[in-house]
Amino acid sequence: MRYELYYWSGIQGRGEFVRLALEDAGASYDDVARTKGDQAMMPFLHGKHAGALPFAPPFLRAGKQVIAQAANILAFLGPRHGLVPASEPARRYAMQLQQTVTDIVAEVHDTHHPISGDLYYEQQRTEARKRANAFCEERIPKFLGYFEQVLDRGDGRHAIGRRHSYVDLSLFQLMSGLDYAFPNAMTSIRRRTTRLRALQQRVAERPNIAAYLATERRIPFNEDGIFRRYPELDER
Amino acid sequence: MRYELYYWSGIQGRGEFVRLALEDAGASYDDVARTKGDQAMMPFLHGKHAGALPFAPPFLRAGKQVIAQAANILAFLGPRHGLVPASEPARRYAMQLQQTVTDIVAEVHDTHHPISGDLYYEQQRTEARKRANAFCEERIPKFLGYFEQVLDRGDGRHAIGRRHSYVDLSLFQLMSGLDYAFPNAMTSIRRRTTRLRALQQRVAERPNIAAYLATERRIPFNEDGIFRRYPELDER
């Protein structure tokens, strides 16, 4: 089956968590908004189609199904492409971890938009400094410390048991995004994130991921996305 | 099977979404922290048990399994207690909607804690006013408008097809919490939320839910929880 992925064309954003799974799996997919423009998503967001109604991109079309929410799309793709172990408890754990990635990604967004997503960053810069400072001091160590512990409970190299999964791909993306947005904060906890660093390296070297990262399809991180580099938000 | 639910003892919080499903199903469960104290959760949060590691409460123990993240717990309970339709696409849609409930609940939390969860509300009151104002103006209408459209695409009364599901229970809780925290904002969009209002009423009248709401187990909303009534955050 050829999938259709729908996500804003100019950023990695939440779509990238899905894109990495599709690329790692070697799945066949159209990145619709990148070829037809963002307006191609609107009929779905306006409910002019059958099936599930998305609240926002990303969403995936798979045959007649429309599936939204990145963690939910990954739970759908995982079993179809060997990106999650077969057992129900393992799949549930993967979903739990993926939802925790969703949580920190929302918090990353709010470091630059602590008041409203409808205002520009420049209109909430003062509050963004405060929120980003708290995020770097409290939340990055808490979330990454948690994921280190998750790896430690497995074989040390994989989030779920001894098997590569979509959660590993998402942890790679999380680490890469945090490195881009908060290089100082990430450097300061480098010694406490050794397992995540090894995982990030391992994922980057997977043949399909390495090939993907070298293409133009991997849009660079930028200041329209979720992970943004504003130096004033990463002062130590 | 008798479940063990673990959640902070003094608030409804995110645990209430799970509790409503257990109560509606007439499931047998221990609300562990309410009988043994919050410290009963700590061995799990510190990883001193087998299985999945929770990032935070709520988590559920079901036999040997530990399951965290409210949406994930509901996806586990739903099929076991007839709280979600049997088809895979319907279950996926339920999960998608539940994750969207998770998203708005996180935004509700941040109306009173826009800078940091480690600071008191009083230390971030100025920013909270701004964030809450944007939340009432932009986000409540956007999320509730979306859920109205979801109901409209079904039979008008249920989130998923023509069947009662855990999503309906969560939408009841969302509406009840928003009514508590933002009565003015909720009154102002009353005419645009008629389907959600009917659903809220229908759920409140389900026998097990009506009985539960009349017990002491239903802790009143309070200013330690996620839905808080601070009048200055609900000025019109």
Side-chain angles (χ1 to χ4, degrees), chain B:
Chain B
M1 180 192 297
R2 190 165 178 86
Y3 300 110
E4 291 181 358
L5 172 63
Y6 292 81
Y7 194 69
W8 306 111
S9 56
I11 60 172
Q12 290 185 20
R14 290 177 171 89
E16 197 70 8
F17 295 92
V18 179
R19 204 174 278 116
L20 285 170
L22 293 168
E23 294 283 347
D24 191 59
S28 171
Y29 74 102
D30 291 321
D31 211 328
V32 180
R34 290 207 184 155
T35 53
K36 298 188 178 169
D38 288 346
Q39 73 280 3
M41 300 190 289
M42 295 311 148
F44 293 89
L45 296 172
H46 295 151
K48 299 188 192 312
H49 67 288
L53 180 72
F55 178 73
F59 52 91
L60 186 80
R61 190 143 78 153
K64 289 183 180 172
Q65 286 193 70
V66 175
I67 305 161
Q69 284 279 7
N72 196 43
I73 299 170
L74 290 169
F76 168 76
L77 291 174
R80 297 166 73 106
H81 296 284
L83 284 173
V84 72
S87 85
E88 277 303 312
R91 289 186 184 181
R92 254 192 291 282
Y93 195 19
M95 188 58 149
Q96 172 187 319
L97 295 174
Q98 192 64 41
Q99 288 173 5
T100 308
V101 171
T102 300
D103 289 344
I104 181 172
V105 168
E107 294 193 23
V108 169
H109 171 272
D110 284 6
T111 59
H112 46 79
H113 281 79
I115 302 300
S116 166
D118 287 9
L119 298 174
Y120 291 110
Y121 165 63
E122 289 71 20
Q123 295 173 280
Q124 47 197 313
R125 211 171 198 153
T126 306
E127 296 88 353
R129 268 184 189 251
K130 291 186 189 178
R131 174 132 188 173
N133 188 59
F135 180 75
C136 290
E137 293 289 330
E138 301 151 14
R139 302 302 278 174
I140 290 180
K142 185 170 166 76
F143 276 103
L144 298 192
Y146 168 73
F147 287 120
E148 279 284 315
Q149 203 180 347
V150 166
L151 294 174
D152 200 43
R153 285 166 76 83
D155 67 352
R157 301 178 66 242
H158 301 93
I160 307 291
R162 301 171 176 279
R163 286 275 310 282
H164 173 71
S165 71
Y166 66 75
V167 179
D168 295 349
L169 297 170
S170 290
L171 289 174
F172 159 83
Q173 177 65 8
L174 175 64
M175 293 296 285
S176 305
L178 291 173
D179 282 342
Y180 176 78
F182 304 105
N184 293 328
M186 290 298 280
T187 297
S188 76
I189 58 159
R190 195 156 190 105
R191 277 182 300 181
R192 283 181 281 155
T193 52
T194 53
R195 293 193 191 284
L196 284 165
R197 287 295 172 198
L199 176 148
Q200 182 182 16
Q201 184 69 21
R202 175 178 68 71
V203 169
E205 290 169 0
R206 287 177 66 83
N208 285 356
I209 295 295
Y212 165 64
L213 296 176
T215 66
E216 290 184 352
R217 297 198 300 284
R218 174 75 168 183
I219 296 177
F221 288 107
N222 63 48
E223 281 56 57
D224 293 320
I226 290 174
F227 296 100
R228 303 188 184 187
R229 180 173 291 173
Y230 294 128
E232 64 271 26
L233 302 188
D234 184 40
E235 288 175 356
R236 307 303 293 170

Side-chain angles (χ1 to χ4, degrees), chain A residues 47 49 51 53 65 68-69 72 76 92-93 95-96 99-100 103 110 114 116 127 130-131 138 146 153, chain B residues 47 49 51 53 65 68-69 72 92-93 95-96 99-100 103 110 114 116 127 130-131 138 146 153:
Chain A
H49 68 287
L53 181 70
Q65 286 194 69
Q69 284 278 8
N72 197 43
F76 168 76
R92 254 192 289 284
Y93 195 19
M95 188 58 149
Q96 171 187 319
Q99 288 173 6
T100 308
D103 289 345
D110 285 8
S116 166
E127 296 87 352
K130 292 186 189 178
R131 174 131 188 174
E138 301 151 13
Y146 169 72
R153 284 165 75 83
Chain B
H49 67 288
L53 180 72
Q65 286 193 70
Q69 284 279 7
N72 196 43
R92 254 192 291 282
Y93 195 19
M95 188 58 149
Q96 172 187 319
Q99 288 173 5
T100 308
D103 289 344
D110 284 6
S116 166
E127 296 88 353
K130 291 186 189 178
R131 174 132 188 173
E138 301 151 14
Y146 168 73
R153 285 166 76 83

